[in-house]
């Protein structure tokens, strides 16, 4: 199995530190993945969708993030993106989905080095990422929120608060939230980068960080495990000085336009029939988080 090439573009907002850690983690996971049976990517030649149909399986890059994509208590793959993948790929003639877990910061390098076929992690579409992958249209829209200690002793509600109150800021490897903090004036090298939301919760509980930033849904879910921490009210980060609503979507290698377009056709049908919301609702999504945003507009035109 091909390791990351090392020449993947550095995503602004993805620290070199976190990218390297992510690639190392991916290498370890990839080694385990090499024992798997032949998949679409290991079967030579042809179009990826045809190869996945022949192999009967699509490999999903996931980041162990509840509720976006994770392995549950019974060892089963689930979450917003995997359940949506099951529905869409079945309609495309690919019956099985296979998880490839990695850190969030390794999803794009892993996709582009053939470790999996698509990113199924609810990844936000933004211009930096659109230079490295192609996205389906978003299947949901989302605001951010913070994990803080109970009672929010430092009064942190926005990225501007974090900067003004000189709070210790943490977020996940490769997260879009890195850039939101930097845009608000937080020094990138001062950010505590952790592997995921559980490590973020631990850092806040232990006082290594005052705040961990993530999606409003992620933070709300993970604090359920905590007596010491809470999630703040969801808010829109500022992008170019204006409140910004994010949209999360599946990502594909830049060459896979046929697969992405076929995926979009089925996604649109699920949106229209209301089936998309039925799939996402059990994971805590609200009707207000359904969206008409397009990848094109979030990529910047
Ligand atoms: C689902 C998700 N979205 C954000 C991102 O895309 O960077 C991060 O918060 C990590 N998790």
């Amino acid at each position: 199995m091909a390791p990351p090439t090392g020449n993947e573009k550095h995503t602004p907002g993805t620290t070199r530190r976190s990218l390297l850690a992510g690639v190392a983690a991916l290498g370890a996971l990839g080694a385990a993945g090499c024992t798997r049976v032949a998949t679409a990517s290991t079967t030579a030649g042809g179009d990826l969708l045809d190869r996945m149909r022949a192999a009967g399986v699509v490999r999903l890059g996931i980041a162990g993030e509840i509720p976006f994509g994770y392995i549950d208590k019974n060892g089963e793959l689930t979450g917003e993106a995997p359940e949506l993948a099951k529905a869409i790929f079945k309609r495309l003639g690919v019956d099985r989905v296979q998880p490839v877990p990695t850190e969030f910061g390794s999803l794009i390098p892993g996709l582009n080095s053939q470790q999996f076929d698509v990113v199924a992690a609810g990844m936000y579409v933004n211009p930096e990422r659109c230079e490295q992958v192609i996205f389906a249209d978003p299947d949901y829209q989302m605001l951010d929120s913070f994990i803080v200690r109970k009672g929010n002793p430092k009064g942190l509600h926005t990225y501007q608060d974090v900067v003004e109150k000189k709070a210790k800021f943490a977020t996940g490897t490769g997260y879009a939230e890195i850039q939101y903090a930097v845009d608000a004036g937080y020094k990138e090298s001062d950010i505590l980068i952790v592997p995921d939301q559980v490590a973020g919760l631990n850092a806040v509980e232990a006082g290594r960080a005052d705040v961990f930033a993530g999606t409003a849904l992620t933070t709300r879910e993970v604090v359920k495990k905590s007596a010491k921490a809470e999630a703040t009210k969801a808010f829109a980060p500022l992008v170019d000085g204006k409140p910004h609503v994010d949209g999360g979507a599946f990502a594909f290698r830049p060459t896979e336009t046929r697969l992405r377009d076929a995926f979009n056709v089925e996604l649109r049908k699920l949106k229209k029939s209301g089936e998309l919301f039925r799939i996402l609702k059990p994971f805590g999504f609200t009707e207000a988080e359904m969206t008409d945003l397009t990848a094109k507009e979030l990529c910047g035109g």
Side-chain angles (χ1 to χ4, degrees), residues 86-120:
K86 287 175 198 171
I88 290 187
F89 281 100
K90 202 174 191 73
R91 285 166 170 79
L92 292 176
V94 183
D95 281 345
R96 280 194 309 118
V97 295
Q98 182 179 53
V100 182
T102 190
E103 288 184 347
F104 198 89
S106 297
L107 288 167
I108 289 181
L111 176 70
N112 281 334
S113 58
Q114 312 275 342
Q115 309 280 334
F116 32 82
D117 303 310
V118 300
V119 172

Side-chain angles (χ1 to χ4, degrees), residues 2-275:
T5 59
N7 63 1
E8 293 82 6
K9 261 192 217 158
H10 175 63
T11 308
T14 303
T15 62
R16 186 163 298 281
R17 183 161 42 112
S18 65
L19 188 63
L20 290 176
V23 170
L26 182 69
L29 289 158
C34 286
T35 58
R36 278 192 290 272
V37 292
T39 62
S41 295
T42 59
T43 312
D47 171 86
L48 178 58
L49 181 52
D50 293 338
R51 284 184 280 133
M52 290 194 310
R53 282 174 174 149
V57 64
V58 51
R59 297 172 310 156
L60 308 179
I62 63 164
E65 183 175 1
I66 299 173
F68 291 97
Y70 58 100
I71 308 292
D72 71 12
K73 288 197 280 298
N74 305 317
E76 300 292 333
L77 169 66
T78 190
E80 169 265 335
E83 294 305 329
L84 182 54
K86 287 175 198 171
I88 290 187
F89 281 100
K90 202 174 191 73
R91 285 166 170 79
L92 292 176
V94 183
D95 281 345
R96 280 194 309 118
V97 295
Q98 182 179 53
V100 182
T102 190
E103 288 184 347
F104 198 89
S106 297
L107 288 167
I108 289 181
L111 176 70
N112 281 334
S113 58
Q114 312 275 342
Q115 309 280 334
F116 32 82
D117 303 310
V118 300
V119 172
M123 181 177 275
Y124 290 171
V125 181
N126 66 32
E128 292 77 18
R129 291 172 178 166
C130 295
E131 288 178 16
Q132 304 168 78
V133 294
I134 55 172
F135 284 99
D137 284 328
D139 42 84
Y140 73 91
Q141 64 182 35
M142 186 57 56
L143 300 175
D144 273 2
S145 127
F146 293 155
I147 301 174
V148 292
R149 281 183 290 285
K150 273 254 154 81
N152 197 357
K154 293 209 168 173
L156 305 170
H157 301 282
T158 64
Y159 291 97
Q160 288 69 33
D161 290 342
V162 173
V163 174
E164 281 162 23
K165 297 182 182 175
K166 299 190 184 350
K168 182 68 186 171
F169 178 80
T171 192
T173 167
Y175 280 23
E177 285 78 1
I178 297 170
Q179 194 59 41
Y180 297 152
V182 171
D183 288 349
Y186 202 91
K187 201 168 155 207
E188 186 162 354
S189 56
D190 286 346
I191 298 176
L192 175 65
I193 299 290
V194 295
D196 59 24
Q197 71 285 357
V198 178
L201 173 64
N202 293 341
V204 171
E205 286 180 336
R208 291 193 303 279
D210 296 309
V211 54
F212 172 88
T215 83
L217 208 45
T218 309
T219 55
R220 200 155 73 220
E221 278 298 317
V222 75
V223 296
K224 289 181 183 165
K225 298 184 174 83
S226 177
K228 294 185 192 162
E230 65 186 34
T232 63
K233 195 162 168 276
F235 64 94
L238 297 182
V239 171
D240 297 330
K242 288 187 271 224
H244 175 77
V245 177
D246 275 298
F250 281 70
F252 304 82
R253 281 186 288 281
T255 48
E256 305 303 344
T257 50
R258 179 177 175 241
L259 176 60
R260 190 273 311 271
D261 293 349
F263 186 98
N264 264 343
V265 168
E266 298 305 323
L267 177 65
R268 253 173 246 136
K269 288 185 202 161
L270 294 182
K271 283 187 179 180
K272 209 166 164 199
S273 68
E275 182 65 14

